[in-house]
Amino acid sequence: MANPLLDFSDLPLFDQIRPEHVAPAIEHLLAESETALGAAVAPELPADWTTLSRTLDVATERLGRAWGAVSHLNAVMDTPELRAAYNAALPVITEFWTRLGADERLYAKYKAMDPAKLTPEQRQAHKNALRGFVLGGAELQGEAKARYAAIQERQAELQQKFSENALDATDAYAYYASEDEVDGVPPDVKAAARAAAEADGQPGYKLTLKLPSYLPVMQFAHDAALRQRLYRAYVTRASDQAEGDGLKFDNAPLIREILALRREEAQLLGYANFGEVSVVPKMADSPKEVIDFLRQLAAKAKPYAERDVADLRAFAKTDLKLADPQPWDWTYVGEKLKEARYAFSEQELKQYFQAPKVLQGLFKIVETLFEVAIRRDHAPVWHPSVEFYRIERKSEANRDHGLPGQLLGQFYLDPGARTGKRGGAWMDDVRARWLRPDNGTLQTPVAQLVCNFAEGVDGKPPLLTHDDVITLFHEFGHGLHHMLTQVNEHDVSGISGVEWDAVELPSQFMENFCWEWDVLKHMTAHVDTGAPLPRALFDKMIAAKNFQAGMQTVRQIEFALFDMLLHTQHDPANEFQPLLDAVRAEVAVIQPPPFARTAQTFSHIFAGGYAAGYYSYKWAEVLSADAYAAFEESATPEGLPSVETGRKYRREILEAGGSRPAMESFKAFRGREPTLDALLRHQGMA
């Protein structure tokens, strides 16, 4: 049987990969990698960068690409069979990577290299590799080394189970609402809910906890009892507070064990806590610096947040006759206040954001600013709704002769929410840019951009909220960072090797364009009339831009501070909920009800690589706001972004990837270190 996971001739054969392919492919690729490792650490092999890369990295990169395809399918097309195959392979994969990262013979080869003989890119990758060996346990001996490996394997298992529980708890819930209950819910959301109920052979409207269904109910449904029902189900997912069968997905025991293992891992490596380990490869110097940063930002934002809540309370009392708003009322009250204050609603705005038109507008700004061309391309895909594109360097000569430009990268776009697909939005790499040491060819980067937007109904294209548009731009920013790199060492090309607390800079930077008239006017067309977004409606949207910015900021600080304190000052033997309650008492302006269990679905830190790193979003927001200020300062008289500034940003930030420290890249672009000023100004808190 030809195994599609073993075909590396081009792009992954996503349409052919089946659960039964996983075990034999991983077994074969692990055997190849074991052989390569043996050759790499043999005494006769010189401690030479290119030789070592040709001997070992070629094999391990193939293993990484195949496992990446399996992991990706597990996240976007989950089935019981695929899940079983994934979970069966996970321990052996984890064991190999852990052992590789702790191999003292391989560590010795890297230590024996002379950095002076390396290129600047190789020097940065070499420096990262040495640090990685230390953090990977290469200096541990005997029982400590064995225990470190066991911890890695158990953590991988627990994090996968956490992710499965969060997905299953979300997918398991459905409520079939009556016509009266969904009064106020937007027509397109109702149409989708009606179709979903009919597909189940049920009357009424099928409401779920997936965001395209859940959020519009919380924003627009007039029925407070319906909002309460869905809210309770949403905030108790994967917890001991869930109702009925939902109890079986409780993530609390997994969280306690994950935290205990992280503390033990840190102490094995000679650190007091996992927070200290987490910041070693980041821009921040210490957990204390992070905690001080978050509290400094909270002190600036909280007065604005308190004013936001006071406005909501006053409006709820006078206009909605709600004297005591409950937790499930706040989103609804906020939407009504926005409509009253700015004379527009999210639903009105949404009619102008047809997904294909938005994508066209996104491509236009990227093509203009970064001097590239984006075209449709062909590749095997995992679902009929997935699209595939290529990014090329613009070339006048090629265009004049009808030839394509130089290929820079390619990407898949998987926009729609569906059962069996993990919630949220993310960018992942299929392969990295790499001047391959085995055959001397330049491998171009490929990315996956995954979102969870509502599908189109009644033959109309999908409609995006403005928040959806921001999400799409955000993930595309990550994609650009991965695809536009000009670095040839795969460990520091694109997003690889970029400090985790700087990796959100290009993504959050792109969000700014979602508030620019000259960008939006090219990407809007009313779903019924085709008319572009009226300037008057845009002006209302801009007026409302920083509506509840204070509340949103302290909400992010709450998550980030909880995460860092959890990994530094919390004893894993104790319950974690009291710590979350204490953080909320310190920074939050609206307290959730006692039954809320949001930590149990906090996948970023328990299953997604952001442990003791969730602060990165706010940290990088400072960088991105300051970077965008450079475009504001250099805008043309017509208000258009400067192509020269775009070129400098592309070269110093996007193309440089992880080949140098993020602060060096930022200073090369901006000429100085970042300041808080631009962020506070952009959010109306200056």
Side-chain angles (χ1 to χ4, degrees), residues 292-353:
D292 290 349
F293 162 72
L294 292 170
R295 287 185 162 141
Q296 176 194 4
L297 193 54
K300 292 180 183 296
K302 197 166 180 182
Y304 292 92
E306 287 166 340
R307 191 176 68 194
D308 290 343
V309 177
D311 287 351
L312 286 172
R313 285 194 186 280
F315 177 79
K317 188 173 182 180
T318 57
D319 290 60
L320 301 178
K321 307 304 178 223
L322 267 175
D324 183 21
Q326 295 302 302
W328 46 88
D329 295 325
W330 290 116
T331 306
Y332 178 77
V333 174
E335 184 58 36
K336 292 295 171 213
L337 174 56
K338 188 196 282 186
E339 289 175 21
R341 181 175 290 176
Y342 303 105
F344 88 99
S345 75
E346 289 295 336
Q347 182 56 20
E348 181 186 3
L349 199 56
K350 182 177 169 184
Q351 305 309 307
Y352 291 92
F353 290 116

Side-chain angles (χ1 to χ4, degrees), residues 6-36:
L6 296 176
D7 186 335
F8 298 99
S9 58
D10 195 9
L11 297 159
L13 301 171
F14 282 120
D15 58 338
Q16 297 176 32
I17 299 168
R18 302 286 177 267
E20 59 268 23
H21 295 136
V22 177
I26 296 305
E27 187 180 335
H28 176 84
L29 292 167
L30 278 170
E32 273 191 357
S33 296
E34 291 286 5
T35 302

Side-chain angles (χ1 to χ4, degrees), residues 290-291 293-294 553-567 580 583 587 602 605 610 612-619:
V290 171
I291 291 166
F293 162 72
L294 292 170
T553 299
V554 297
R555 178 85 168 133
Q556 286 295 300
I557 293 169
E558 173 192 316
F559 288 139
L561 192 56
F562 168 64
D563 167 42
M564 189 52 85
L565 294 176
L566 190 66
H567 289 101
L580 181 52
V583 169
V587 300
F602 197 176
I605 68 168
Y610 279 83
Y614 194 80
Y615 76 90
S616 301
Y617 283 101
K618 294 318 285 183
W619 187 279

Side-chain angles (χ1 to χ4, degrees), residues 179-381:
E179 179 71 48
D180 288 347
E181 286 178 299
V182 295
D183 184 34
V185 175
D188 59 317
V189 179
K190 281 176 65 175
R194 182 79 202 93
E198 285 173 355
D200 289 354
Q202 296 284 346
Y205 299 84
K206 182 181 183 179
L207 304 177
T208 73
L209 301 181
K210 290 198 173 287
L211 282 184
S213 174
Y214 173 76
L215 192 56
V217 171
M218 302 311 294
Q219 284 176 296
F220 298 105
H222 299 318
D223 189 327
L226 176 67
R227 298 198 304 268
Q228 180 179 359
R229 178 188 292 273
L230 259 70
Y231 174 86
R232 174 154 197 140
Y234 190 81
V235 300
T236 59
R237 284 175 303 152
S239 82
D240 62 340
Q241 298 295 306
E243 294 171 354
D245 281 354
L247 288 168
K248 68 186 178 189
F249 303 122
D250 184 12
N251 268 334
L254 306 185
I255 292 173
R256 286 192 286 272
E257 191 177 349
I258 287 168
L259 292 173
L261 291 171
R262 286 175 180 166
R263 166 77 65 92
E264 188 183 353
E265 174 191 331
Q267 291 174 345
L268 278 173
L269 293 172
Y271 295 91
N273 54 63
F274 189 77
E276 290 185 2
V277 177
S278 176
V279 299
V280 171
K282 295 183 170 74
M283 288 179 78
D285 290 328
S286 67
K288 181 183 183 301
E289 183 184 4
V290 171
I291 291 166
D292 290 349
F293 162 72
L294 292 170
R295 287 185 162 141
Q296 176 194 4
L297 193 54
K300 292 180 183 296
K302 197 166 180 182
Y304 292 92
E306 287 166 340
R307 191 176 68 194
D308 290 343
V309 177
D311 287 351
L312 286 172
R313 285 194 186 280
F315 177 79
K317 188 173 182 180
T318 57
D319 290 60
L320 301 178
K321 307 304 178 223
L322 267 175
D324 183 21
Q326 295 302 302
W328 46 88
D329 295 325
W330 290 116
T331 306
Y332 178 77
V333 174
E335 184 58 36
K336 292 295 171 213
L337 174 56
K338 188 196 282 186
E339 289 175 21
R341 181 175 290 176
Y342 303 105
F344 88 99
S345 75
E346 289 295 336
Q347 182 56 20
E348 181 186 3
L349 199 56
K350 182 177 169 184
Q351 305 309 307
Y352 291 92
F353 290 116
Q354 299 179 54
K357 187 79 173 168
V358 170
L359 202 60
Q360 192 183 327
L362 167 60
F363 291 173
K364 182 179 173 65
I365 184 65
V366 168
E367 289 178 330
T368 303
L369 212 52
F370 302 129
E371 300 171 300
V372 296
I374 302 174
R375 309 180 196 283
R376 282 301 282 261
D377 207 346
H378 304 284
V381 295

Side-chain angles (χ1 to χ4, degrees), residues 375-395:
R375 309 180 196 283
R376 282 301 282 261
D377 207 346
H378 304 284
V381 295
W382 52 91
H383 190 271
S385 64
V386 176
E387 299 169 6
F388 189 66
Y389 296 89
R390 61 194 284 121
I391 300 188
E392 300 168 351
R393 170 92 66 222
K394 267 187 185 164
S395 162

